[in-house]
Each structure stands twice: as C-alpha cells, then as structure tokens.
Amino acid sequence: MSDPVLELVGVSRHYREGDARLDILVEVDFSLVPGQTVALIAPSGAGKSTLLHIAGLLERPDAGEVKINNAPTSTMSDDARTKLRRNSIGFVYQFHHLLPEFTALENVALPQTINGLDRAEARRRAKDLLDYLRLGPRALHRPGELSGGEQQRVAIARAVANAPALLLADEPTGNLDPRTAEHVFATLMTLARASGLAALVATHNLELANQMDRRVTLRDGRIVEMD
Ligand code: ADP
C-alpha cells in the first residue's frame, strides 16, 4: 500500500471554557492514502472542524504529530507550514468563499499565481480544470451569476488548482439541495478517482458518505471506523 498522504499520530486538542477543560481530540490516530476518500460523520460540536483545521495545518495540536507525505510538521516554522499547505492541501467549506469581484476563471487561477505560476499559464490551467468539471461555459461569470451548485464546484476547482495531494472539506454540500449536493459530490469523487487526490470530507449526508471508501466518526475525541 502507498505511504499515507496524511497521518495523525496521537493528536490531542483541548479548549478551556472557564474552569472546565473540553477535550475535543484525544490521542487521535488516523491515516489516509493517495486516492482514498473518507467521510467524517459526527454530530455538531464533536470536533470535525477542529480535526480538519489541524490536519490542514491551520491550527497546531496540543500534542501529537501531523505528517503530510511523511513529513512531520510539528517542528516546522509557520512559514514552512504555510508553504506546505499551499502546495499540498486544498480546502472546501460549506460556503464557497469565492471572491465576488472576480470571475470563476480568475478565482481558480488565483491560488496558482500566488504560488508563483505565470498569470497566462495559471489562466490556461484554470480553464482546463473548469472545462474538465464541465464549467467551461461559466468561466467568465462572477460568483453572483452562478447557481449554488456551480459556485461550490468552482470552489472545488479552486481547491485543487495547485494539484494538492490532500483535499479537506467541511460539509461541502451542507448548504445545497439533495440533487445539487449529489452533483457537487460527484465532482469531488471524479477528481479523487482521476488524480489520486485523497479526501477527508466532513458530512451529515449518509447517502453521499456511503459512496466513499471509508466512513469514520469521532467518539469521545477519538476517531472510530464505522464499518
Ligand atoms: P464540529 O465541527 O464537529 O461541529 P468543532 O470542531 O467546531 O465541532 O468544535 C468542537 C467543540 O469545540 C465545540 O464544543 C466547540 O464549541 C468547541 N470549540 C471550538 N473552537 C473553540 C475555541 N476556539 N475555544 C473554545 N471552544 C472551542
């Protein structure tokens, strides 16, 4: 089996609320291999977003190690973590967070130019990606001119524009009607299967979760396999 894209080893995170201590993640061990799609299904407040933030190097755990492509990140500087995040990790949220003044094409090109790619090349690649996701005819529209499902598919295109190894998604279809959710989800699965992208997707949608390779939940701060 291939080496994991993401590995969490003994990851713990707690918050303080007054005198109380909330143990959100307790010595979590988890790994995800290339091309694998995993649904994270747990009630609100269980710690899904905390886990995704830590896995995505947006937050540091109190204890434990997060490895991205075998590289331990706990001893990296914030700059090194940012660089690794930009190159290797894509995020999709419940709300698309596209820049309203820019076209779909520009939104998808932007992360690539931030990463140092020439503007024309970034636009060409953004167009290819939008075409691949059958959003080509919408490329020159601004987010406000797109449907909810199209906005979310553009957000997915933006998340994978730098060809990350890992996609982290926090209820990406949570705001969509069932049919649109199915379409957006199909976009994620197409990308994972075509490119070897590994995905960890927090979702409440069991029907979609059942189409993924693995289902896990958070129980008392630990990750537990569901089947
Ligand atoms: P989920 O994504 O599963 O809804 P979260 O990871 O957002 O769960 O939150 C897990 C728990 O941690 C919740 O009880 C939340 O209130 C608490 N929490 C999250 N962030 C903070 C914080 N910065 N300070 C204190 N408590 C927090």
Side-chain angles (χ1 to χ4, degrees):
M1 207 183 218
S2 340
D3 283 345
V5 175
L6 166 69
E7 200 175 357
L8 306 180
V9 187
V11 164
S12 297
R13 182 80 172 108
H14 69 269
Y15 296 116
R16 295 216 160 270
E17 215 172 56
D19 287 343
R21 176 187 155 120
L22 299 174
D23 285 300
I24 308 299
L25 303 175
V26 181
E27 293 175 17
V28 167
D29 292 325
F30 177 74
S31 67
L32 189 58
V33 296
Q36 193 173 44
T37 54
V38 179
L40 173 60
I41 309 157
S44 197
K48 300 181 298 295
S49 300
T50 303
L51 182 82
L52 291 170
H53 287 165
I54 288 174
L57 312 181
L58 292 166
E59 216 181 293
R60 289 182 188 261
D62 298 313
E65 185 62 83
V66 178
K67 294 186 194 171
I68 304 290
N69 287 328
N70 282 334
T73 59
S74 64
T75 50
M76 285 182 184
S77 65
D78 286 344
D79 280 355
R81 286 163 60 94
T82 300
K83 198 164 166 223
L84 183 59
R85 183 167 62 242
R86 276 197 199 136
N87 283 317
S88 307
I89 306 174
F91 289 90
V92 182
Y93 299 95
Q94 183 173 354
F95 298 98
H96 58 78
H97 299 297
L98 296 170
L99 297 172
E101 301 302 317
F102 292 88
T103 63
L105 185 81
E106 288 162 343
N107 269 284
V108 177
L110 208 57
Q112 304 176 67
T113 46
I114 289 172
N115 240 8
L117 198 69
D118 167 76
R119 190 161 170 272
E121 175 65 9
R123 287 176 72 88
R124 200 184 56 73
R125 282 176 40 174
K127 182 67 171 54
D128 285 350
L129 191 53
L130 289 171
D131 283 343
Y132 180 69
L133 299 180
R134 289 190 273 150
L135 285 161
R138 313 311 258 159
L140 299 180
H141 291 256
R142 295 206 173 108
E145 299 159 347
L146 303 175
S147 71
E150 286 169 344
Q151 290 169 344
Q152 202 57 330
R153 282 158 60 222
V154 173
I156 291 170
R158 178 186 53 181
V160 302
N162 285 330
L166 172 64
L167 185 78
L168 299 171
D170 201 347
E171 309 210 14
T173 63
N175 194 35
L176 304 172
D177 65 76
R179 201 164 148 265
T180 310
E182 175 73 43
H183 194 187
V184 167
F185 182 78
T187 300
L188 272 179
M189 300 301 276
T190 302
L191 283 167
R193 296 202 170 117
S195 65
L197 179 73
L200 177 60
V201 182
T203 181
H204 288 294
N205 189 326
L206 294 180
E207 207 173 301
L208 299 184
N210 282 332
Q211 297 175 39
M212 301 180 76
D213 299 325
R214 270 166 75 196
R215 280 147 295 282
V216 299
T217 188
L218 278 166
R219 202 166 292 151
D220 300 327
R222 292 191 165 82
I223 286 202
V224 183
E225 301 285 333
M226 290 181 77
D227 359 79

